Amino acid sequence: MAAALLLLLQLVSLASASHHYGGTVTYSYKGRNPDGSFRVDFRNRATYDGCRTSQNHRCSTGNCGLVTNQQRGITDRSTNAPQSNRQWCETETVQQRKVPTDKPFQMRARSCCWIPTRNGVSGWRFQTQVDLGSRSDTGKPNRSPDIAILPFLRVPQNCPRTYKLMSFDADGDTVRCRYGNIRNIECSGCNQPSGFVLDQGSCSLHYNDATVNPSVFGFELVVEDFPQRPISLSYTDGTQSYKAPLIPMRHKRALNHVHHTRTSATTTRQNTPLSKLPLQFSFLVDPTAPSCVDGLYLPRFVHPTPANGQHINAEVNKEVEIRVRAKASHATLHDIIISGPLNITKHRSTHGDFVIRWTPGPDDVGDHYPICFAVESVNDLPPQTTSNYGYHSHVTQSPEPGIYQSEMRCVLVNIGKRLIESHVTCHESSMTVEVNRSSLPGLHEDHLRLNDPSNTACNLDTNSNSTHIVAIVPLNACGTQIEEDEENLVFKNEITTVDNVHDLITRNHLLEVQFYCQYPKRGNVTQGFTAHRRNVVVWDKGFGKFTYMFEFYPDIRYRQMIDPGLYPLEYDVKNRIYMQIEAKSTVNNTQLFVESCSAAPYDTPNYWPTYSIIENGCNLDQTVQVHPRANPRQFRFSMEAFQFIGLHDQVYISCSVLICEAGSSGTRCSQGCINSPLTGHHHHRKREATTQSARHFISQGPLRLKRSAESTGSPATPLNLNLVFIVGCLLAAVGLISAVALYKVRASKVKYQPLPSFEN
C-alpha cells in the first residue's frame, strides 16, 4: 500500500512538472580578455508554461570556464497554448563566460518534463558543442549558426505547410538540421514525429498530415555546421585539428563501395561538425480549418511585412523597427507571437499593424540576430460538431471555434557600427534632429529634405550650421506621420537625400535618416501649487511631454478664468463649480475625452468607499453638466459641491482623462459612453459608493480648510490635508490618467488653500 501511494505521488509530481515547450542555444566569440582568456557569450532561449523557470547548463567535457555576467528577461508570452497548459512564456538568458583555453568543450542541460507529447518525449536534453580554435580559412574562431524558431507552432490538420528554420552561418559553412539521435544527450526519447518530413540540407520542415490531438509533437533537433572545404583549426597550445566538408549520403555510399577502408576514416572526420546546437519546439495539430487558403481563416502576410529570410541592417543604439501586417477576412486577428533577442518588444497600432522593436547595444556589433514571428487569428463561431478533436478529411460544416496561425517568418538583423551620428530632442509641439556633418561626407542640406519640404519651416537651411544639419520639425507639418499603439503616440519623419528637393521620384540610391518622437499614453505628471495651480506637465524620461492646464471659472460663459490672486476659493454646498481641463498642443487632429471621475474623502489610493461621478464616459452624478468647448482639446464641466456623510471635511476627485487621435475609430474616445450600468438615456443613478483604484498618484497640498465659522469671524482651524492629483497621460490614442483634486466641502462653506506639493 505504501509503495503504491509513493508511486502515485511520483506520478502526480511528474504530471505537475510537465511544462517544457522547447528552446535553443547559440554562442558568439567576443575576443580575448586582457589576461589572454577567451570571452564567449551564450544565448539560451527557453520556453515553459510560466516565466520563472530557466535552464541550468553544466560543463560536460573540456574546460567551459566561468560565468562572469548574466542577464535574463522575457521575450514573449501567450495564452494561445494547448489545452493542458493554456499559456507559454519564452525567456532568454544571456551569459558571458570567461574560458581559459580555446580547446573544444561541451555543455549540457537536462530535466523533466515536456508538456504532454504524443511522440513519447518526456524529459528534455540539450547539448552544445563549442570549438574556439582559429580556422585556417578566416584566421578566427568558428562562428556558430544563428538559429531561431517560434517555441510553439500549430497548424490545422488539413493544411499542409512548410517551415523554413532559421539557420544562417556567418562563415558561409554548410548547415545541417537533423533529429537528435544520441539518447539522453541530444534527445530524450529520440522519437521522430510522424507526418513530417525534415529536409536536413535546407533546414526545412514539411508538415504533410497527422491526426488531430490535443497533445503536441515534441521536436528535438540538432543544428550543425561543416566547412565548405577542408580546413584546420589551430590552438594556442600548438596543436591542430582538421574538419572536412559534409558529403551527401549518396556520395558516402559510393565512396564506401569503392574505397571502403579510406572512406571509413574520412566519414568519421566529416561527421565531426564545427559546432553543435540544440533546437527544440512544440507542434500542435489542430482540428481542420474550413479553408487552407491564406487570408481567409489563416492570416496572410501583406506589405510591408518583410520576407522570410530577409536581412535587415541595423546600427548600434538605434532602434530597429519591423512592421508586420496580416489579413484574415473570415477571422479576427488576435496577436503576434515572436522570438528574438533580449529586450525585444511588440506592439499593435490602432490601425491593426504589429510593430516589433529592438535596440542593439555596442556589444552586438558584428553579430547577427534572428527574429521570428507569426500572426494568430481567432474564430469564435459556435461549434457545429460534438467533438473539438477528431479527424476530418474535408469540411462540410461551419467552422468550430479555433485559433489559426500564419506561416512563420524569420528575419536576420545584422548589427554594424553607427554610421550616421544624429540626435533627436522631443519637444511639446516639435522635434529637433541634429545630424553631424562629418557622418554625411559630401552631402549638403541642399540635397536633403524632409517628407514634405513645401512648408518654409521645413527647410533644412534655416537652422543648420557649419557642424550640424539641424531640422526643427513641427509635429503637424513637414510630412510628419502620426502612429499610435496601445502604449504610445509616435510622430515620425525622415531626412532623405535627393538630387533635387522638388523631385517626386528618384532612381538613385537613397540615404534615409529616420527619426521619431514617442509620447507615452500613460505616465506620471509633475504638478505644483503655490497660491495657484501651475500647468500639468506629462513627462516620461527620454520621451516628449505635453502640457495640460486645469483652471476654475466663475460661470458657464468660460470667458475668463478665476484670477489666481483670489485664491483660496469659497463654495457653499450645492454651489456649482465650473472647471476646464485643456491640452496645450499644436497637433490639430486630437481630442480630449474624460473616461471616469470618482470622489473620496481621503487621498489614500486604496481608500474605500469611493463615489463614482463619471464612469466609462457616462455621467453618473445627477448634477454633472458638460458644457460646449471652444476646441476638441478642451473639456468643460461643472457639478454641485457636496460632502460625504459622516465626519469628513474634504472631498478628493480623481479623473481618468484621455486624449485621442480625432476621427480614429480604434480609440477609446470614439466609443463614448460604454458599459453603462444605467437604464434609460439620462445616465443618472442614485448616489452610491463604489470601489475604484487609481494607477498613478502624486500628492499635493496640504490644503488648509476654513470652516463655516470663518464667515462670522471665528478663528480658523488648520487641517493639514493632502490634495491628490493622479494623472496618466494618453496622447492621440493617448490616455492621460489624471487624478485632480478639485475641491473640499464642509457644512455650508469651504475654502481652498493650495500649498507646496510633494510626491507620495
Side-chain angles (χ1 to χ4, degrees), residues 26-30 39 41-45 92 94 144-148 166 168 170 309-314 316 320 322 339-344 358-372 410-416:
T26 61
Y27 71 88
S28 58
Y29 170 69
K30 290 296 185 178
R39 176 186 161 185
D41 287 4
F42 287 84
R43 290 183 173 267
N44 170 218
R45 294 181 193 171
E92 181 173 75
V94 181
S144 73
D146 295 295
I147 62 174
M166 170 57 73
F168 171 78
Q310 182 173 327
H311 286 231
I312 298 175
N313 295 324
V316 170
V320 179
I322 302 171
S339 180
L342 194 63
N343 299 320
I344 194 171
W358 177 63
T359 302
D363 210 33
D364 299 318
V365 173
D367 286 341
H368 310 270
Y369 291 93
I371 297 175
C372 298
C410 297
V411 297
L412 193 71
V413 181
N414 308 315
I415 314 302

Side-chain angles (χ1 to χ4, degrees), residues 310-347:
Q310 182 173 327
H311 286 231
I312 298 175
N313 295 324
E315 297 181 16
V316 170
N317 295 328
K318 288 190 176 181
E319 187 175 80
V320 179
E321 181 179 280
I322 302 171
R323 303 191 67 83
V324 177
R325 185 177 300 168
K327 302 291 184 182
S329 60
H330 290 55
T332 302
L333 297 182
H334 173 69
D335 193 14
I336 185 172
I337 59 175
I338 62 175
S339 180
L342 194 63
N343 299 320
I344 194 171
T345 62
K346 65 180 184 180
H347 311 270

